[in-house]
């Protein structure tokens, strides 16, 4: 009779052992992540402490439960990016970004940090591709929708945050290189296919094929792409863990000034991408009218540079990262970009442009290396907002860069207008060799080289080591960590965008 009441304590002791093991696991996690994810105040921090005490909070790159689309991986991100830009590449029509994406990218990134990546992948891809069928349905609706589309042309920020969720820190540079290479592959293949379909069957078929590709991309996200952000890091209710200051681009810029790591990275991105955005807007007209490239030569140039960029970003990028490090890889990419722009500026022969194109392919390592550097210096719950800021800065450059190049071409009396092929050859044949434009055929490219040189100098001040690595080296006990976090949050009125989480 006495055996009955004495049986419950045995499982209770087993439960106590399990709780002790969970607490030990939580202590290990806390030492690696001394700051609570998505903290917005004492209530949020208190909830995090309870999770730590129960051993329930886990961070990092995988979701807790298997989803309908399987385990999230880098290949989901690759397929989404390829289909989106392949659809637009078929049309050979640029997407409208600029200032709109500068305003929306930090907001979309912050929301994805709280509510997950999958929904915002669907949102950005849908609105980015929505104008495509309207090209043949109604021109007014097309222009109205493409204006709205510019707000959501920030898929890259969500994609890079998705990649950060599903990869370890040492794997991200290879993953970012693969995503950038996929983007280049979509732009290499789609314009040629679109031009062939247009010449053979008309523009209506091109628009139809592009629309079908966009629909396939949306269906792929709905049916096959799993959520990458762990459920325990997602908000239980709408707006519960959103830091609207981080979502506001202007408030984010104020915080950037306080952060010794993110500030030089943002300045480097702005100064390096501003000339690149201007180059995209005018370079192929420049090749046609000033250098004398024909349509076939331009198509071949795009294909060769695109293929070389894919090889560089998938093979050489990871080798460089392992051999010379993240920061030096960024500096090397900026050095190649300076050489490329100087070569474009002084080049007057076709072979010079081809040689400069090879250098341009080598410079394509810059953006994935910078994205990896930003990701290494951000906590797991900040990946969306920091990638959104970088994407927003690039969107701002997409608006300013073409205006800058157009103004410089105007100052040096270089006219780039669409002309028939016969008039282009006549114009080039009648150019005076003693003309100033013959000495410096491309003044905007030389100005761009000077701007990238400034970016190179700023990049020298980017810290060598990431904050994540310093966190692992200098972490202390649970109690001291929590106390320091509480004291730091109460003392600072305006905290840096990426807080130094080392204790």
């Amino acid at each position: 009779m006495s055996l009955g009441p004495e049986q419950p304590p045995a499982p209770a002791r087993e439960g106590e052992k399990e709780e002790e093991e969970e607490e030990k696991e939580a202590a290990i996690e806390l030492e690696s992540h001394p700051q609570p994810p998505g903290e917005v105040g004492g209530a949020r921090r208190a909830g995090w402490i309870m999770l730590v005490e129960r051993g329930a909070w886990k961070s990092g790159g995988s979701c807790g439960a298997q989803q309908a689309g399987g385990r999230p991986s880098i290949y989901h991100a690759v397929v989404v990016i390829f289909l989106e830009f392949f659809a637009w590449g078929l049309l050979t029509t640029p997407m409208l970004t600029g200032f709109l994406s500068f305003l929306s990218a930090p907001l979309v990134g912050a929301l994805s940090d709280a509510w997950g990546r999958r929904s915002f992948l669907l949102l950005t891809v849908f609105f980015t591709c929505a104008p495509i069928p309207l090209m043949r349905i109604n021109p007014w609706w097309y222009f109205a929708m493409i204006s709205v589309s510019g707000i959501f042309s920030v898929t890259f920020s969500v994609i890079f945050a998705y990649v950060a969720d599903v990869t370890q820190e040492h794997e991200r540079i290879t993953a970012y290189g693969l995503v950038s290479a996929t983007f280049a592959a979509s732009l290499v293949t789609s314009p040629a296919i679109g031009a062939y379909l247009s010449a053979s069957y008309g523009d209506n078929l091109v628009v139809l094929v592009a629309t079908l590709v966009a629909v396939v991309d949306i269906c792929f996200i709905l049916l096959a792409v799993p959520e990458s952000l762990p459920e325990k890091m997602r908000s239980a209710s709408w707006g519960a863990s959103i830091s609207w200051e981080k979502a506001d681009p202007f408030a984010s810029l104020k915080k950037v000034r306080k952060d010794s790591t993110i500030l030089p990275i943002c300045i480097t991105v702005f100064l390096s991408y501003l000339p690149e955005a201007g180059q995209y807007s005018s370079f192929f007209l420049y090749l046609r009218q000033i250098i004398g490239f024909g349509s076939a030569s331009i198509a071949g140039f795009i294909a060769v540079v695109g293929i070389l960029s894919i090889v560089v970003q998938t093979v050489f990028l990871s080798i460089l990262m392992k051999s010379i490090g993240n920061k030096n890889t960024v500096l090397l990419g900026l050095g190649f970009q300076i050489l490329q722009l100087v070569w474009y500026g002084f080049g007057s022969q076709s072979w010079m442009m081809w040689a400069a194109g090879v250098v341009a392919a080598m410079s394509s390592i810059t953006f994935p290396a910078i994205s990896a550097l930003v990701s290494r210096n951000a906590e797991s719950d900040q990946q969306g907002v920091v990638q959104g800021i970088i994407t927003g800065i690039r969107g701002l450059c997409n608006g300013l860069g073409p205006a800058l190049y157009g103004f410089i071409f105007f100052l040096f009396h270089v006219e780039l207008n669409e002309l028939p092929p016969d008039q282009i050859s006549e114009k080039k044949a009648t150019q005076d060799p003693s003309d100033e434009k013959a000495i410096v055929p491309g003044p905007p490219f030389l100005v761009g080289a000077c701007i990238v040189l400034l970016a190179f100098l700023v990049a020298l001040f980017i810290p060598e080591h990431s904050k994540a690595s310093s966190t692992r080296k200098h972490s202390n006990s649970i109690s001291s960590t929590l106390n320091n976090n509480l004291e730091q949050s109460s003392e600072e009125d305006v905290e840096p965008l990426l807080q130094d989480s080392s204790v």
Side-chain angles (χ1 to χ4, degrees), residues 173 177 312-322 329 365 368-369:
I173 184 62
V312 168
Q313 294 175 9
T314 53
V315 178
F316 291 102
L317 180 59
S318 58
I319 297 175
L320 290 172
M321 285 290 296
K322 293 177 182 178
T329 301
I365 63 176

Side-chain angles (χ1 to χ4, degrees), residues 69-408:
R71 187 181 182 86
S73 69
I74 176 63
Y75 301 105
H76 292 100
V78 164
V79 173
V80 171
I81 279 292
F82 180 85
L83 292 176
E84 177 181 357
F85 288 94
F86 185 87
W88 274 103
L90 287 172
L91 306 171
T92 63
T93 303
M95 292 183 296
L96 180 63
T97 54
F99 193 71
L100 295 178
S101 61
F102 167 71
L103 295 175
S104 61
L107 173 60
V108 172
L111 294 177
S112 73
D113 284 336
W115 298 331
R117 319 293 184 198
R118 183 172 175 268
S119 300
F120 290 94
L121 278 179
L122 182 63
L123 183 71
T124 56
V125 171
F126 175 81
F127 279 101
T128 301
C129 297
I132 293 178
L134 298 177
M135 294 182 71
R136 290 294 169 181
I137 297 176
N138 189 311
W140 291 106
W141 278 105
Y142 168 75
F143 286 111
M145 182 56 70
I146 204 172
S147 300
V148 177
S149 173
I151 302 175
F152 295 96
S153 298
V154 293
T155 310
F156 260 109
S157 63
V158 185
I159 283 290
F160 280 161
Y162 190 101
V163 170
D165 293 338
V166 301
T167 56
Q168 300 297 324
E169 182 178 311
H170 66 278
E171 301 172 331
R172 283 177 195 164
I173 184 62
T174 303
Y176 287 155
L178 182 60
V179 171
S180 298
T182 303
F183 166 72
S186 68
L187 296 185
V188 167
T189 56
S190 55
I193 296 174
Y196 171 77
L197 293 176
S198 177
S200 302
Y201 304 101
D203 293 338
N204 288 334
L205 181 62
V206 179
V207 174
L208 176 61
V209 172
T211 302
L212 292 177
V213 172
V215 171
V216 170
D217 196 9
I218 293 172
C219 292
F220 177 76
I221 298 174
L222 284 172
L223 302 177
V225 176
E227 177 57 57
S228 64
L229 192 67
E231 185 176 357
K232 294 163 187 172
M233 296 180 63
R234 279 178 259 158
S235 175
S237 61
W238 290 87
S241 64
I242 304 286
S243 175
W244 294 107
E245 286 186 313
K246 293 181 180 179
D248 181 4
F250 300 105
S252 298
L253 289 178
K254 293 179 181 178
K255 293 185 177 182
V256 162
R257 292 189 297 106
K258 304 287 185 178
D259 198 294
S260 60
T261 300
I262 198 67
L263 177 60
I265 293 177
C266 288
I267 296 176
T268 300
V269 170
F270 179 80
L271 294 176
S272 63
Y273 195 71
L274 183 65
E276 187 174 346
Q279 173 185 321
Y280 287 154
S281 67
S282 58
F283 184 62
F284 299 116
L285 281 176
Y286 178 81
L287 287 180
R288 180 186 295 274
Q289 296 186 25
I290 306 301
I291 307 300
F293 273 42
S295 299
S297 298
I298 291 177
F301 183 90
I302 295 174
V304 170
V305 174
I307 293 172
L308 290 176
S309 298
I310 294 171
V311 174
V312 168
Q313 294 175 9
T314 53
V315 178
F316 291 102
L317 180 59
S318 58
I319 297 175
L320 290 172
M321 285 290 296
K322 293 177 182 178
S323 57
I324 64 176
N326 201 158
K327 176 182 174 180
N328 290 331
T329 301
V330 173
L331 294 174
L332 182 62
L334 294 174
F336 279 122
Q337 187 178 0
I338 294 171
L339 179 59
Q340 159 213 340
L341 291 170
V342 171
W343 213 328
Y344 283 159
F346 285 109
S348 58
Q349 303 295 326
S350 296
W351 69 267
M352 296 181 178
M353 297 295 106
W354 285 98
V358 176
V359 180
M362 293 299 300
S363 70
S364 65
I365 63 176
T366 305
F367 180 59
I370 287 179
S371 298
L373 190 61
V374 170
S375 180
R376 290 173 57 197
N377 284 277
E379 297 295 335
S380 57
D381 64 311
Q382 295 177 325
Q383 295 293 331
V385 68
V386 296
Q387 296 293 350
I389 290 175
I390 298 300
T391 302
I393 292 175
R394 285 167 61 91
L396 182 63
C397 292
N398 282 329
L400 299 178
L404 174 65
Y405 267 49
F407 180 68
I408 298 174

